[in-house]
Amino acid sequence: QYARQARGEHFKGLFAVVAYPVDPLAKTAWLESNKDENGVLDLKGLRPEQVQGFGLGVMNARAAYYAKRDGRFSQFLTEGRSFGPHGQDLVIADSIEHYNDELSKELTNLTVTANLHMRAIGYKPFVAPAFSSGAISILMTLRKQWHCGSVFLGGVYMGVKNRYTEHGLETEALALPDALYERIVFAAENLAKIV
């Protein structure tokens, strides 16, 4: 409904998606805004860079939490990155410069299952995502600061470090180790199967 309304009103601002599953919902919003009244894709709605999903911020914050608690992951705090969807195919890299595939996969697993541990002790985690992925990430976006968010890359919306500039959307460009790149490609391929 809101994507179609954005189309109808020729909306020129940022269309923020803050709901789970954020990555497929961001793509769905973009697609729906670009369909005519007969459901035909005509690309007269939102531009891909106008839509951003906000869900990776909390995953990045959870990885940082574990990095602060366990010295084996401490390099994440200065050298690490988060990629991909908020969910099972999340990719946490302990370090870009000194990537350790085994440690990165362990940190990824801890990050992905963190909310399950909270639920097991009787809490539903909603405040942290509202701050990390919602309020903080959206404010950083509006301030043109680097942040974690899902943007249109290769036909899918996928979480990466990005920012808006006077010239448009900028995503972080990194030389990635092969093992890390393969994990990211796997996540992107799985996202492409959803929408």
Side-chain angles (χ1 to χ4, degrees):
Q1 175 186 345
Y2 292 115
R4 290 186 183 127
Q5 182 180 349
R7 173 193 174 97
E9 296 184 15
H10 306 288
F11 182 66
K12 300 295 180 206
L14 175 67
F15 191 100
V17 177
V18 188
Y20 184 80
V22 67
D23 311 270
L25 287 173
K27 185 170 182 183
T28 299
W30 174 71
L31 286 171
E32 289 301 315
S33 81
N34 280 286
K35 292 179 182 176
D36 68 15
E37 60 279 352
N38 298 313
V40 176
L41 191 67
D42 63 7
L43 302 178
K44 293 182 179 178
L46 296 167
R47 295 181 319 279
E49 65 274 12
Q50 275 184 271
V51 179
Q52 184 158 158
F54 292 92
L56 189 60
V58 71
M59 303 310 267
N60 191 71
R62 287 176 184 165
Y65 167 82
Y66 286 110
K68 289 177 183 175
R69 292 179 53 100
D70 186 333
R72 296 177 305 134
F73 306 125
S74 63
Q75 65 276 13
F76 175 82
L77 299 171
T78 55
E79 302 172 14
R81 294 293 186 283
S82 302
F83 302 96
H86 172 115
Q88 195 58 42
D89 286 330
L90 174 73
V91 176
I92 300 292
D94 70 322
S95 169
I96 297 299
E97 296 84 10
H98 307 99
Y99 179 73
N100 181 310
D101 196 51
E102 185 178 320
L103 282 177
S104 292
K105 287 178 178 174
E106 184 179 348
L107 183 55
T108 299
N109 185 57
L110 288 168
T111 302
V112 169
T113 59
N115 66 337
L116 300 176
H117 297 296
M118 290 300 291
R119 288 172 190 260
I121 58 174
Y123 297 97
K124 182 170 180 2
F126 61 89
V127 174
F131 279 106
S132 301
S133 290
I136 293 171
S137 293
I138 291 171
L139 283 173
M140 292 176 80
T141 302
L142 296 174
R143 293 175 180 158
K144 299 183 168 134
Q145 297 172 330
W146 288 104
H147 64 279
C148 295
S150 294
V151 298
F152 195 74
L153 296 169
V156 298
Y157 277 84
M158 184 155 166
V160 295
K161 194 171 181 180
N162 70 88
R163 67 178 174 176
Y164 285 93
T165 72
E166 294 77 26
H167 306 290
L169 179 66
E170 178 182 8
T171 58
E172 186 178 44
L174 299 168
L176 300 173
D178 290 342
L180 174 57
Y181 180 74
E182 289 170 14
R183 291 178 65 204
I184 295 169
V185 168
F186 180 80
E189 288 172 350
N190 284 342
L191 281 171
K193 293 174 188 173
I194 298 171
V195 180

